[in-house]
């Protein structure tokens, strides 16, 4: 019997040890006992990191939608599968039951088929956070089409690049979207993109904002009438475990976006298993992940992981600040959310505002809080713990990547004692290594290095779409027989991991390797500081010096900025040492961020280096307008 749900620390260590010694037995048991397969595998695992070639459950046959939908109908057909909370709080929430989800996915799958989409075809999905988004992923999976979701905040150029890279035959979009007070003309963006994409035959358009849009004859079709005509029965396409399920693009530090390819069987097993354990998920829970399905977090932990467990998963269309800073907590109270999963950037944004926005609401339904996407600083961790979890909800700081498909390092609630800013322990089946610059593994505790994984796990990306060589070079060439994550990490005295940030964020000052995250944490402890980012810039003596961009909570003209600079350096000296003091501190209105809240240090670095004429593409940023202000205020 597998230990599918880990309940205490001793059990974690037992299960973890088993997963190290007998990885195939460990994953094989989980896969066999908790999922439905049309045929079992010939081998649990075959792999060769030198190629690299990774196959999990090869020879097995399944359809992931049978696992996410059909198998639940008999026992929980009337349970809410997707709980849709609209942008506008006055609009009614929608409870889509498993029965209804089944009908809608089957109808949508039939529409895809009727439009000529077949197994293996790529379908681009460019939709806001409305039910059609989740349903369209599942409809593709139902018929074996490969979905490629592009976050519906990306520009037409970014969309076109991704459509072209995967030669998608279809785009699924909507007339427009709501985002806080704004409406966005999604269809107009799609039109611009598709003009440059020869592979696109059909554009399916869902209605969301009832805007008057142009429909191109022969190419564009309204979705609803096609759904209305379609049968609610669509036999699932029987897939091989290693057939691609989806492509999802992630931007690297250089070059074009990488289309990470995830396959069916291993991805399903890993996301379902980690969802169950990391969120301590129980049958009547109402789980909410605030990410957008345009990111891997949404794929794995809004759609596939929760639905494979028969969970109720909330889809939120809006933003944390609309109609006011209390929106998240209003929704938590309204739907009695039990697990809440968000990003540090959202936590910090809300922590800046008055606690009245939190205290108005009853948050007593919450059991587990999660965070993902970037290192969470100590101050934000405590704010989350004290004010949202009321010190009663374990915080799961989950480290993982688009490439890993599922969570890799995380506490297991009620088993792993948490520690602020630490993602703590590797999940079962995850074999980590810290490496030094010379390619040697750093053993023991209280060490830091580059974070690698030495053994395959089921949900790892298998390749980069159309460029296996790049996959090999990016992830399997830095260290022999290892997957290199690109992150740095330290391991403390009990073996807990703390992610210190991307390795390219390491700055060497006078021969000392300084991670940006600990310095930023120190600065953020200053009561006047809201957020900060550090980059290096060339220095005659030290090699590199540190340049800090600091956002203040209030931009008071009356404040003495020179005093603040001294105080900030004082805090850094206390926390890290004088070596980490900043040479320049620029107070700024904002930091350039990706849509998922990661600071674009590349741009800050360029500005600090005085290379403003070559900033690269900033159109995919969340806030491209701050770049001009940062340049204006430059020291
Ligand atoms: C899930 C996701 C991946 C990168 C990763 C890290 C950073 C993610 C954490 C984190 C510290 C965390 N996928 N990262 N989670 N850093 N603590 N809990 O975010 O592909 O978009 O990004 O994000 O640098 O390599 S992603």
């Amino acid at each position: 019997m597998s230990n599918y749900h880990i309940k205490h620390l001793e059990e974690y260590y037992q299960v973890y040890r088993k997963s190290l010694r007998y990885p195939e037995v460990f994953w094989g048991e989980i896969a066999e006992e908790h999922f439905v397969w049309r045929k079992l595998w010939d081998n649990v695992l075959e792999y060769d990191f030198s190629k690299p070639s990774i196959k999990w459950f090869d020879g097995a046959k399944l359809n992931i939608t049978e696992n996410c939908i059909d198998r639940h109908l008999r026992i929980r057909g009337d349970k809410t599968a997707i709980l849709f909370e609209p942008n506008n709080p006055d609009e009614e929430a929608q409870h889509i039951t498993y029965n209804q989800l089944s009908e809608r996915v089957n109808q949508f799958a039939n529409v895809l088929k009727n439009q000529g989409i077949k197994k293996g075809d790529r379908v681009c999905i460019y939709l806001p956070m409305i039910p059609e988004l989740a349903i369209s992923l599942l409809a593709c999976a139902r018929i074996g089409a490969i979905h490629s979701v592009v976050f519906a905040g990306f520009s037409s150029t970014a969309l076109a690049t991704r459509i072209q890279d995967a030669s998608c035959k279809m785009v699924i979009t909507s007339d427009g979207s709501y985002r806080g007070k704004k409406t966005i003309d999604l269809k107009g963006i799609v039109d611009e993109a598709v003009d440059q994409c020869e592979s696109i035959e059909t554009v399916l358009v869902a209605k969301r904002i009832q805007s008057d849009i142009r429909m191109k004859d022969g190419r564009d079709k309204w979705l609803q009438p096609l759904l209305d005509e379609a049968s609610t029965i669509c036999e699932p396409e029987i897939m091989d475990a290693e057939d691609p399920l989806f492509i999802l693009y992630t931007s690297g530090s250089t070059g074009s976006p990488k289309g990470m390819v995830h396959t069916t069987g291993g991805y399903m097993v890993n996301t379902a298993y980690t969802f169950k354990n990391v969120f301590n998920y129980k049958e009547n829970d109402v789980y909410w992940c605030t990410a957008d399905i345009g990111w891997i977090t949404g794929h794995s932990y809004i759609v596939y992981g929760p639905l494979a467990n028969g969970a109720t998963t909330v889809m939120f269309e809006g933003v944390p600040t609309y109609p006011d800073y209390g929106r998240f907590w209003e929704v938590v109270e309204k739907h009695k959310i039990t697990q809440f999963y968000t990003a540090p950037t959202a936590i910090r944004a809300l922590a800046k505002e008055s606690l009245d926005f939190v205290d108005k609401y009853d948050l007593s339904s919450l059991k587990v809080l999660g965070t993902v996407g970037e290192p969470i600083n100590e101050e934000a961790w405590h704010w989350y713990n004290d004010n949202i979890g009321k010190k009663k909800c374990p915080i799961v700081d989950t480290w993982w990547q688009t490439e890993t498909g599922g969570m890799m390092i995380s506490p297991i609630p009620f088993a792993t004692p948490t520690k602020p800013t630490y993602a703590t322990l590797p999940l079962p089946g995850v074999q980590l290594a810290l490496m030094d610059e010379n390619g040697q593994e750093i053993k023991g505790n209280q060490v830091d290095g580059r974070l690698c994984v030495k053994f395959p796990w089921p949900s790892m990306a298998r390749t980069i779409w159309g460029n296996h060589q790049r996959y090999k070079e990016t992830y399997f060439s830095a260290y022999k027989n290892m997957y290199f994550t690109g992150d740095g990490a330290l391991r403390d005295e009990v073996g807990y991991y703390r992610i210190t940030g991307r390795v390219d964020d390491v700055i060497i000052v006078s021969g000392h390797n300084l991670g940006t995250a600990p310095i930023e944490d120190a600065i953020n402890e200053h009561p006047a500081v809201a957020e900060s980012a550090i980059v290096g810039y060339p220095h005659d003596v030290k090699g590199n010096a540190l340049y800090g961009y600091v956002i203040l909570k209030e931009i008071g003209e009356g404040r003495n900025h020179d005093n603040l600079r001294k105080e900030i350096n004082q805090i850094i000296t206390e926390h890290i040492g004088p070596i980490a003091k900043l040479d320049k501190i620029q107070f700024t209105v904002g930091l350039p961020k990706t849509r998922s809240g990661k600071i674009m240090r590349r741009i800050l670095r360029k500005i600090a280096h005085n290379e403003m004429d070559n900033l690269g593409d900033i159109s995919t940023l969340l806030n491209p307008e701050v770049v001009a202000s940062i340049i204006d205020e430059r020291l």
Side-chain angles (χ1 to χ4, degrees):
M1 265 294 282
S2 67
N3 307 64
Y4 192 63
H5 183 191
I6 296 169
K7 294 179 202 67
H8 51 84
L9 192 59
E10 205 33 58
E11 190 183 4
Y12 160 79
Y13 280 114
Q14 249 170 35
V15 173
Y16 187 72
R17 279 194 297 267
K18 172 176 170 180
S19 79
L20 284 192
R21 254 182 239 149
Y22 312 108
E24 299 192 32
V25 176
F26 171 74
W27 286 114
E29 284 175 357
I30 290 174
E32 193 167 341
E33 286 166 27
H34 299 279
F35 301 88
V36 292
W37 304 85
R38 292 293 186 106
K39 173 181 173 287
L40 289 185
W41 42 90
D42 305 321
N43 283 312
V44 174
L45 171 66
E46 279 168 79
Y47 80 105
D48 178 349
F49 273 179
S50 71
K51 285 192 171 43
S53 152
I54 300 117
K55 289 181 180 165
W56 282 93
F57 310 114
D58 202 33
K61 305 258 183 213
L62 76 156
N63 186 290
I64 196 169
T65 67
E66 285 198 313
N67 284 275
C68 289
I69 304 170
D70 302 51
R71 65 157 155 168
H72 304 309
L73 299 180
R74 198 173 46 84
I75 38 179
R76 45 177 87 90
D78 292 324
K79 174 177 174 176
T80 302
I82 294 177
L83 203 175
F84 172 63
E85 172 66 27
N87 177 62
N88 179 348
D90 299 331
E91 190 182 322
E92 230 175 287
Q94 289 174 36
H95 295 254
I96 301 169
T97 66
Y98 274 93
N99 281 328
Q100 292 165 334
L101 182 64
S102 171
E103 291 192 355
R104 291 178 68 172
V105 167
N106 279 276
Q107 277 183 314
F108 206 134
N110 280 322
V111 169
L112 296 179
K113 273 189 174 172
N114 295 340
Q115 297 300 316
I117 301 297
K118 294 185 299 294
K119 177 179 176 182
D121 287 345
R122 274 80 59 210
V123 173
C124 175
I125 301 173
Y126 187 74
L127 279 169
M129 281 287 283
I130 55 177
E132 285 79 357
L133 174 53
I135 291 168
S136 64
L137 267 67
L138 295 162
C140 286
R142 188 80 175 170
I143 65 164
I146 302 170
H147 57 73
S148 169
V149 180
V150 177
F151 171 63
F154 275 160
S155 67
S156 61
T157 322
L159 175 60
T161 314
R162 287 158 178 77
I163 292 173
Q164 287 161 353
D165 185 75
S167 312
C168 295
K169 268 171 94 171
M170 175 188 270
V171 182
I172 305 172
T173 189
S174 66
D175 52 355
S177 66
Y178 295 120
R179 241 188 115 69
K181 276 179 277 198
K182 289 188 277 193
T183 57
I184 298 160
D185 173 24
L186 283 196
K187 177 61 166 53
I189 297 170
V190 169
D191 287 341
E192 265 181 57
V194 170
D195 281 345
Q196 313 161 45
C197 301
E198 278 170 18
S199 58
I200 294 295
E201 295 169 5
T202 316
V203 177
L204 289 185
V205 188
K207 258 205 173 107
R208 176 58 181 142
I209 66 167
Q210 326 294 332
S211 60
D212 195 13
I213 56 166
R214 177 181 76 103
M215 295 291 279
K216 186 169 168 185
D217 244 12
R219 186 194 72 183
D220 301 351
K221 289 167 188 157
W222 288 108
L223 178 61
Q224 196 55 51
L226 298 176
L227 287 172
D228 292 340
E229 283 166 20
S231 155
T232 55
I233 296 168
C234 175
E235 284 305 316
E237 185 77 31
I238 302 309
M239 307 294 285
D240 288 335
E242 281 297 337
D243 277 337
L245 175 64
F246 65 86
I247 303 170
L248 186 63
Y249 287 86
T250 182
S251 41
S253 34
T254 54
S256 54
K258 299 172 285 204
M260 304 313 305
V261 177
H262 283 283
T263 60
T264 309
Y267 175 81
M268 170 183 78
V269 170
N270 206 151
T271 54
Y273 176 75
T274 49
F275 174 78
K276 170 81 180 161
N277 279 286
V278 170
F279 292 115
N280 189 42
Y281 167 72
K282 304 268 172 65
E283 182 67 32
N284 294 316
D285 289 345
V286 181
Y287 159 86
W288 181 18
C289 164
T290 69
D292 192 289
I293 292 175
W295 312 119
I296 190 69
T297 304
H299 281 59
S300 303
Y301 299 108
I302 296 178
V303 183
Y304 290 112
L307 295 179
N309 281 281
T312 297
T313 176
V314 173
M315 262 186 89
F316 175 49
E317 183 186 26
V319 295
T321 51
Y322 177 81
D324 63 36
Y325 298 107
R327 185 66 193 277
F328 274 179
W329 323 124
E330 184 240 337
V331 175
V332 168
E333 175 183 289
K334 176 172 166 194
H335 297 304
K336 302 199 169 48
I337 302 295
T338 45
Q339 290 92 350
F340 179 75
Y341 190 29
T342 197
T345 177
I347 297 169
R348 283 194 301 266
L350 298 176
K352 272 206 299 192
E353 306 302 328
S354 159
L355 271 179
D356 295 345
F357 289 114
V358 179
D359 294 339
K360 272 204 334 226
Y361 300 103
D362 176 5
L363 306 182
S364 59
S365 56
L366 288 170
K367 296 194 304 187
V368 176
L369 300 176
T371 149
V372 62
E374 48 171 330
I376 181 165
N377 51 302
E378 193 136 4
E379 204 185 355
W381 195 97
H382 284 295
W383 185 88
Y384 201 28
N385 188 45
D386 296 352
N387 300 302
I388 307 306
K390 319 285 182 199
K391 297 196 166 91
K392 283 190 303 225
C393 303
I395 295 179
V396 290
D397 178 351
T398 63
W399 176 85
W400 59 294
Q401 308 176 296
T402 305
E403 294 86 338
T404 68
M407 297 160 176
M408 302 290 279
I409 310 180
S410 172
I412 292 180
F414 314 109
T416 321
T418 60
K419 175 174 176 182
T421 77
Y422 281 74
T424 75
L425 297 170
L427 290 169
V430 175
Q431 302 190 25
L432 303 173
L434 292 178
M435 304 297 288
D436 70 17
E437 275 102 288
N438 308 318
Q440 296 301 312
E441 181 169 354
I442 310 166
K443 303 266 188 171
N445 289 345
Q446 282 191 298
V447 292
D448 64 77
R450 291 158 188 232
L451 183 64
C452 292
V453 191
K454 2 182 202 190
F455 194 83
W457 63 100
S459 64
M460 64 193 296
R462 303 294 195 261
T463 189
I464 292 174
W465 183 263
N467 199 344
H468 196 65
Q469 186 58 29
R470 188 175 179 199
Y471 175 69
K472 178 176 173 167
E473 279 160 16
T474 311
Y475 304 107
F476 294 90
S477 300
Y479 304 101
K480 196 165 182 281
N481 277 321
M482 303 239 176
Y483 167 84
F484 174 46
T485 66
D487 284 328
L490 59 85
R491 191 162 52 216
D492 78 358
E493 61 288 351
V494 300
Y496 275 17
Y497 287 84
R498 179 191 189 188
I499 311 303
T500 46
R502 303 293 304 177
V503 179
D504 42 23
D505 294 346
V506 171
I507 306 166
I508 304 181
V509 180
S510 305
H512 298 265
N513 285 22
L514 299 173
T516 53
I519 306 177
E520 289 161 6
D521 284 353
I523 300 172
N524 296 350
E525 300 238 322
H526 192 290
V529 172
E531 207 179 348
S532 59
I534 306 297
V535 297
Y537 70 98
H539 187 280
D540 290 348
V541 178
K542 307 182 192 179
N544 289 294
L546 298 179
Y547 193 116
Y549 297 87
V550 174
I551 307 181
L552 296 176
K553 285 182 179 152
E554 292 157 49
I555 318 166
E557 286 301 313
R559 297 195 95 101
N560 183 328
H561 280 183
D562 281 337
N563 275 350
L564 269 177
R565 288 193 175 91
K566 279 189 200 132
E567 289 166 19
I568 287 170
N569 271 330
Q570 186 54 34
I571 293 191
I572 295 175
T573 307
E574 283 160 19
H575 280 68
I576 296 150
I579 181 67
K581 283 207 289 194
L582 309 182
D583 281 68
K584 292 188 181 175
I585 299 179
Q586 170 174 342
F587 296 106
T588 176
V589 291
L591 296 169
K593 296 245 173 121
T594 66
R595 304 282 179 157
S596 53
K598 300 190 206 312
I599 299 169
M600 285 289 268
R601 287 203 175 68
R602 174 173 63 83
I603 292 169
L604 296 174
R605 212 174 288 130
K606 287 249 162 88
I607 298 173
H609 287 214
N610 208 356
E611 290 167 9
M612 265 87 77
D613 38 344
N614 178 25
L615 291 178
D617 183 15
I618 61 168
S619 71
T620 59
L621 290 181
L622 179 70
N623 50 355
E625 69 287 349
V626 305
V627 176
S629 339
I630 297 174
I631 293 174
D632 279 352
E633 309 147 343
R634 192 176 175 281
L635 299 173

